[in-house]
Amino acid sequence: MDEYIDQYLRETVEIADTVDKAQIARSIEIISELKRGGGRLFILGVGGSAANASHAVNDFRKIAGIEAYAPTDNVSELTARTNDEGWDTVFYKWLETSRFGKDDALLILSVGGGSDTTSLNLVKAIEMAANIGAKIIAIASRDGGCAKEYADACVLIPVTDPMRITPHAEGWQGIIWHLMVNAVMEMLK
């Protein structure tokens, strides 16, 4: 067990040493501009990333004073839309109802960033945001998928071991969004 713990923590240090700090800084700039402009932040994730989105909404709202939402927090609407319209449309339909616009931004939390075969709900929301000119920030791993392709800033969590992509990606989502929230709060005092 000690060997596993040591290995996991070594990988965590390796990620801290190699994550693209310029992309973190660009994300903070985008969030700061969003706050100054009065835009809203919509945070999207599925699975463990959906739980992270809920937590991040609290932090962006309470600590950074940014109007923020996670569609997955409204399970009634989420499941009704899934039942009536299909899982792949739940986010962009939610964004349409919220009058998501070019002054708003998406924060995508995802292990793989979405593709033709996975997280199609994220992909459709990302494409919608890109089409209207809204800013897109992503925290993802692997190759970043669709999120990296369209993002104005993408913090790509380096893969240190293929067996631990998901735990590192989801764990680092929390580290990065906490960093962003606190940096924005400090910058805009």
Side-chain angles (χ1 to χ4, degrees):
M1 183 55 68
D2 286 347
E3 284 181 38
Y4 181 83
I5 293 168
D6 289 342
Q7 180 61 34
Y8 193 98
L9 293 175
R10 273 193 301 276
E11 292 167 3
T12 302
V13 169
E14 181 181 339
I15 292 168
D17 288 341
T18 59
V19 69
D20 188 339
K21 286 139 187 91
Q23 289 298 307
I24 297 171
R26 179 66 186 129
S27 299
I28 293 166
E29 289 171 11
I30 292 168
I31 297 290
S32 296
E33 291 166 10
L34 180 79
K35 180 176 169 100
R36 280 192 293 271
R40 301 169 297 165
L41 181 62
F42 293 86
I43 307 174
L44 308 182
V46 295
S49 298
N52 282 346
S54 185
H55 182 161
V57 162
N58 170 69
D59 291 352
F60 279 103
R61 291 179 69 88
K62 185 174 180 295
I63 297 168
I66 296 170
E67 188 175 347
Y69 302 96
T72 47
D73 282 348
N74 184 339
V75 71
S76 296
E77 182 177 355
L78 181 73
T79 56
R81 287 191 181 282
T82 300
N83 186 59
D84 298 343
E85 300 160 1
W87 178 242
D88 60 326
T89 67
V90 295
F91 292 146
Y92 89 81
K93 289 291 195 179
W94 199 95
L95 292 169
E96 280 180 350
T97 300
S98 296
R99 295 176 310 285
F100 180 78
K102 65 179 179 51
D103 296 328
D104 299 320
L106 285 185
L107 172 55
I108 303 297
L109 304 178
S110 178
V111 173
S115 70
D116 292 344
T117 58
T118 61
S119 301
L120 293 175
N121 48 11
L122 293 178
V123 171
K124 288 185 177 191
I126 292 165
E127 290 172 344
M128 173 196 188
N131 286 336
I132 63 171
K135 295 291 187 192
I136 302 167
I137 301 166
I139 305 171
S141 190
R142 296 191 175 118
D143 67 359
C146 178
K148 183 173 188 274
E149 178 183 343
Y150 286 94
D152 297 283
C154 180
V155 180
L156 199 59
I157 307 305
V159 174
T160 55
D161 186 299
M163 298 301 294
R164 286 179 288 284
I165 294 171
T166 298
H168 283 307
E170 291 179 349
W172 274 87
Q173 289 170 4
I175 292 168
I176 301 299
W177 98 65
H178 280 105
L179 190 160
M180 290 190 304
V181 163
N182 287 281
V184 167
M185 183 185 66
E186 289 294 319
M187 289 172 58
L188 299 177
K189 278 186 175 179

